[in-house]
Structure formats: C-alpha cells, structure tokens
Amino acid sequence: MTTLRLSAESPEDIARCAALLRAGELVAMPTETVYGLAANALDENAVAKIFEAKGRPQDNPLIVHVAEASQARLLVKEWTFTAQRLATAFWPGPLTVILPRADFVLAAVSAGLNTLALRMPSHPAAQKLLRAADVPIAAPSANRSGSPSPTSAAHVLADLDGRIAAVLDAGTCPVGVESTVIDLTGDTPCLLRPGQVSPAELEEALGCAVDISPAVLHALAQNETAASPGMKYKHYAPEAELTLVQGSLAEFIALAAREQPDGLLCFDEDVAALGRWTCVTYGPRADPVKQAQRLFAALREVDALGLRKVLVRCPSSEGIGLAVYNRLLRAAGFRLRSK
Ligand code: TXA
Ligand code: MG
C-alpha cells in the first residue's frame, strides 16, 4: 500500500484521515507526546491491523484516545472520583488513566485485560482528527514494536511506510516522550509509566500518595508479572548497546578513555570536552524538558550513525527527567554504571 503524506494544516487532509479511520484504515496521528498509530477502537479488524503493522505482541494493550472526557466515561465500568479529578487537572494532555473496561469495548483493545487505558490528547491536530472521526481511537506509538517512539512524520515513515494508509504530518511533537500512565484500579493509584505529568503533580491533584510501579526503575525478574504489559518488552531500544553512566563529566571522560566506545550520547555542553569521540546530544544538562523533546530522535541518530557501543550521560530524574531516565534505562537494557 502507498502511505499518503497528509498535512495537519489542511482541513481537507484532516477530513481525509477521519474518513480513512472510519473506513477501518490505520492513520499515524500527531499528538503532544509522540505520533500514535490510530484506528477505530470499535472496529475489530482495524484494531487487529494495529498489531499487525507494528509487529506488536498480542498481549500488549492499547490506549484509547477520546475528544472529550465525557466520551471516556462511556467506555469504562465506573468513572471514579479519582479519574474525574485527574481529568479535570490534566486533560486534555499527556496523562493516561486505567480503569475497568466496559463490557461492550472490544477485549482486543486491552489485549484481553478487563481494564482500559484512556487519554484525551491536547495536540490541536489530534483534537481535530478525533472530532472529525467521531469514534474513540485506539493508538499505540507509531513505531515498529521495540524501536523508539516517533516524534516526527519522518520517524513514522522510517518504520511504517507502506504498512499504513496515511501519516498526518504536524511537525515535531512538543513533549517528546509518551504520556504518564496511572492505574486507578487498585486501592492506591499507581504510576506505571512516567511522562510529562510528574508523580508530585499527580499527588497534588489527588491529595493522596501515588505508588510507583517497581518496573519504572528496575528490570522485571523472569517470574514477575508486569502491571503494564508494555513494561515486559524491550522498548525504545536502538540497535546500539547503550550503557548509562552516572557521575561527573570528568568521570565520564575517564570511563570513555578506558572503554573506547564507538560513540557517546551526551548533553549539548559536553561536546567541547568530548571532541575526540563521535557525540550525539540530547539537550542541555539542566533542561529535562528539552531532553524529553530530543531523546527519541537522538536514539534514532545513534543508529543512523552506525554506533554500536555507546556510553550515555545519565540525566537527572526530577520532574519530566524521571521519564527521560526511565526511557534511557530501558533503551540501555538497565545497564547502569556509577563510574
Ligand atoms: O503518549 C502516549 O501515550 C502515546 C500517544 C500515541 O498517545 N501512546 C503510547 O502507546 O505510548 P503505547 O501503546 O506505545 O504505550 C502504552 C503503554 C504500554 O506500555 C501498555 O502496555 C500500557 O500503556 N497499557 C495500555 N493499556 C493498559 C492497561 N489496560 N493496563 C496496563 N497497561 C496498559
Ligand atoms: Mg509504544
């Protein structure tokens, strides 16, 4: 199939994407976090196409995107007070809530789980497309399963050209890492995936403590079950073998001199001191917002340069930095060195 390149600036192109979605086709949709691979969540064949196009494991559930919080309520068994508080505080925006799935919602969307992940994106192009399509939209990140999430239409096409009906191009995604995912089905809300909305912001909006799933910062042991099935899989992973290195720039330089890596993934201001190695940068050291915006493009660049063994400067894990740190840890297969 030929993948149409359409523009989010054009009302006709948005209408065309909405028509494709309603006809059961796949469209890559820009959101404020990353591009999503959108399909009509009420259409079983369309949902199956998502798993097929991505090469996604059948047991990894999808997030359903809605234009309004009032639509989200219809898709779950019970819209809780906690869910309402979070929707009021953070929707539209980069927060996904997990609640018990309503019986009429396709089990395939949740990969058979009895819960459902829901989010109302804030990107104007996503909003327009959701309204025009007028159906709930299932959308995982629009990458081939296992590779870094796409933050531009070019990234989407690098992975999925010829496998999907269209990509709606709206330039680069402003947040750059996927939404915060919070599970509201237990006694205490539990953060399954960090994103722009931080644990502190969640706790402030809820007025109670939020648990953090152990899988956010640690590799799951063979016998552990993942609260979020996506946590089981190797994710965000470039071909390169990354090692995350904590400590000062001087310690990093000393390690690089000993290990002789093929390249370095570092902060913008490190390059001057690291000139003898091939450097890919992912933002200023003190700016986690920019790091989040650039991280996935940087991981793709590492591979484009053919770098195999790569040492990575470790980011701070404050605020959205927790999301950057989490994605890098996973990209590095949890290889972490303190010197
Ligand atoms: O920002 C985002 O969330 C992007 C954009 C496109 O909205 N979407 C995204 O989807 O990152 P995906 O499929 O790449 O990641 C969704 C994560 C996976 O780790 C999945 O296992 C988890 O959310 N998830 C989805 N439904 C779940 C459920 N019912 N219970 C537990 N985890 C769930
Ligand atoms: Mg994904």
Side-chain angles (χ1 to χ4, degrees), residues 32-33 57 78 173:
E32 68 278 22
T33 56
E78 192 196 354
C173 301

Side-chain angles (χ1 to χ4, degrees), residues 99-152:
L99 289 164
R101 172 170 55 87
D103 290 331
F104 78 90
V105 177
L106 292 168
V109 169
S110 297
L113 298 177
N114 54 18
T115 55
L116 183 66
L118 287 160
R119 139 166 152 82
M120 175 183 174
S122 63
H123 195 295
Q127 290 255 337
K128 284 182 201 155
L129 183 54
L130 288 168
R131 280 176 212 288
D134 199 25
V135 286
I137 293 292
S141 50
N143 50 284
R144 287 280 290 170
S145 196
S147 63
S149 292
T151 53
S152 71

